[in-house]
Amino acid sequence: MGESKIEALLTGRRRLWLAVVWVLLLSAVAVLPGVDSSIQQYRTLGELRAKLASRNELPDRARKLRDRVAQHQGR
């Protein structure tokens, strides 16, 4: 009896809408973690580009001096 009541409720358009909602939910669960990791990779890439840009703006002598200081500090 329980199944027939559920089947009666899920006829026609309701069944279609339930299927659409189910597919959207499964798609969101599958896609959102990938989007989150892509955003993190994009932010990391931006940070690395900013470091590279700031390093390239230094004069050659200052860049060498900074590298030597970092080397002596144990980096």
Side-chain angles (χ1 to χ4, degrees), residues 18-57:
L18 180 65
V20 168
V21 168
W22 184 247
V23 168
L24 289 175
L25 180 67
L26 289 177
S27 298
V29 168
V31 170
L32 287 179
V35 170
D36 187 42
S37 67
S38 295
I39 291 172
Q40 184 62 33
Q41 290 174 354
Y42 182 75
R43 287 181 182 161
T44 304
L45 182 62
E47 291 171 4
L48 291 174
R49 283 183 179 167
K51 279 184 181 179
L52 183 62
S54 67
R55 181 184 167 143
N56 287 339
E57 289 176 2

